[in-house]
């Protein structure tokens, strides 16, 4: 079935780096825009980054701009989030999500999430 | 501003109707997406576009929009509808934005 599976989360010290991956299956990955969305413990959803189908249009939330880099490997159905200069307030569950082809706004498929903890 | 604001919490009696609202400037340009999130689970899209439901979403969920306000209505709320609900839209420069979230309690 259509699925997104994140990996790469873990415990990292402030100032450290981590790379998250999201493996897509059972759909034509290159046809969909993708995003990373995070949720701090006990908090709401926060959109982090967007990448277009071809990877030529990229957006970042102000809170991560200059520190995080989104990319995609459509040949292998993979989405990435390179996170550098991590801070305690980056601690969250990180979800990858597929953009709906019927909406410029909605995300119709979500992964199960991967936890990132930034702590010394 | 690209912020989306929601009431923090609402309650509804079993079988009754509840409406959740989402306010933001960007909603005058885009139809909101609505998501249901239960504890420990990933969000699930329940409404998108002009009142469209993904496959598998019960027809008791419906959406509407007027000006800068989007609404999600649950008609005949069930116990399994108790969850957090989030709206989303696109703000300035193509960025996406999520609402502050509403906790729905079914009494």
């Amino acid at each position: 079935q259509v699925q997104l599976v994140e990996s790469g989360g873990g415990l990292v010290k402030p100032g450290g780096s981590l790379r998250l991956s999201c493996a897509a299956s059972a759909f034509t990955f290159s046809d969909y825009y993708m995003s990373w969305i995070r949720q701090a413990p006990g908090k709401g959803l926060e959109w982090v980054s967007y990448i277009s189908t071809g990877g030529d249009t990229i957006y970042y939330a102000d809170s991560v701009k200059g520190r995080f880099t989104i990319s995609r490997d459509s040949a292998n159905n993979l989405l990435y989030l390179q996170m550098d200069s991590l801070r305690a307030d980056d601690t969250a569950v990180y979800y990858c999500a597929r953009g709906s082809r019927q909406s410029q706004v909605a995300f119709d498929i979500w992964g199960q999430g991967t936890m990132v903890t930034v702590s010394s | 501003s690209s912020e989306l604001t929601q009431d923090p919490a609402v309650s509804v009696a079993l079988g009754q109707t509840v409406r959740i609202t989402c306010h933001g400037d960007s909603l005058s340009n885009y139809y909101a997406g609505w998501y249901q999130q239960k504890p420990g689970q990933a969000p699930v899209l329940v409404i998108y576009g002009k009142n469209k439901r993904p496959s598998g979403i019960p027809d008791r969920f419906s959406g509407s929009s007027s000006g800068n306000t989007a609404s999600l209505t649950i008609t005949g709320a069930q116990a399994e509808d108790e969850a957090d609900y989030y709206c989303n839209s696109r703000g300035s420069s193509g960025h996406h934005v999520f609402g502050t979230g509403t906790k729905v309690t079914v009494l």
Side-chain angles (χ1 to χ4, degrees):
Chain A
Q1 72 279 22
V2 173
Q3 197 173 6
L4 297 170
V5 179
E6 302 95 337
S7 60
L11 175 63
V12 61
K13 289 181 168 52
S17 298
L18 214 54
R19 188 175 86 154
L20 306 183
S21 300
C22 171
S25 57
F27 66 96
T28 305
F29 180 68
S30 58
D31 285 350
Y32 293 84
Y33 71 86
M34 300 292 295
S35 270
W36 288 97
I37 296 150
R38 69 184 180 183
Q39 187 170 36
K43 303 297 184 182
L45 300 172
E46 179 188 14
W47 170 80
V48 172
S49 185
Y50 158 103
I51 188 166
S52 61
T53 54
D56 52 337
T57 300
I58 286 173
Y59 302 120
Y60 297 101
D62 290 345
S63 57
V64 306
K65 195 169 185 178
R67 300 187 299 120
F68 289 13
T69 304
I70 192 172
S71 61
R72 65 190 300 162
D73 175 358
S74 290
N76 292 296
N77 299 334
L78 289 166
L79 177 72
Y80 298 107
L81 186 68
Q82 175 68 39
M83 304 187 296
D84 299 319
S85 303
L86 283 161
R87 312 185 305 219
D89 61 359
D90 294 318
T91 295
V93 174
Y94 284 73
Y95 297 101
C96 65
R98 186 181 84 170
S100 168
R101 294 183 69 184
Q102 300 177 60
S103 167
Q104 299 178 64
V105 164
F107 298 103
D108 59 358
I109 301 294
W110 295 61
Q112 85 287 353
T114 188
M115 183 71 202
V116 172
T117 302
V118 184
S119 175
S120 55
Chain B
S1 169
S2 58
E3 295 179 346
L4 298 176
T5 57
Q6 301 178 235
D7 290 333
V10 296
S11 60
V12 57
L14 185 67
Q16 296 304 301
T17 297
V18 62
R19 187 170 70 176
I20 305 160
T21 57
C22 174
H23 304 277
D25 291 343
S26 63
L27 296 174
S28 62
N29 299 315
Y30 296 100
Y31 289 113
W34 286 96
Y35 305 85
Q36 176 192 71
Q37 187 181 33
K38 297 181 180 179
Q41 298 183 18
V44 172
L45 180 67
V46 295
I47 290 289
Y48 67 98
K50 189 177 182 181
N51 193 23
K52 298 179 181 179
R53 284 175 288 106
S55 174
I57 301 301
D59 61 4
R60 62 179 179 272
F61 290 92
S62 63
S64 62
S65 181
S66 178
N68 291 354
T69 299
S71 300
L72 173 70
T73 300
I74 309 173
T75 303
Q78 302 300 302
E80 61 263 33
D81 299 335
E82 186 162 291
D84 294 328
Y85 290 83
Y86 296 91
C87 59
N88 91 299
S89 182
R90 290 188 82 158
S92 59
S93 303
H95 291 203
H96 289 259
V97 59
F98 282 89
T100 49
T102 298
K103 181 177 181 61
V104 172
T105 300
V106 180
L107 304 173

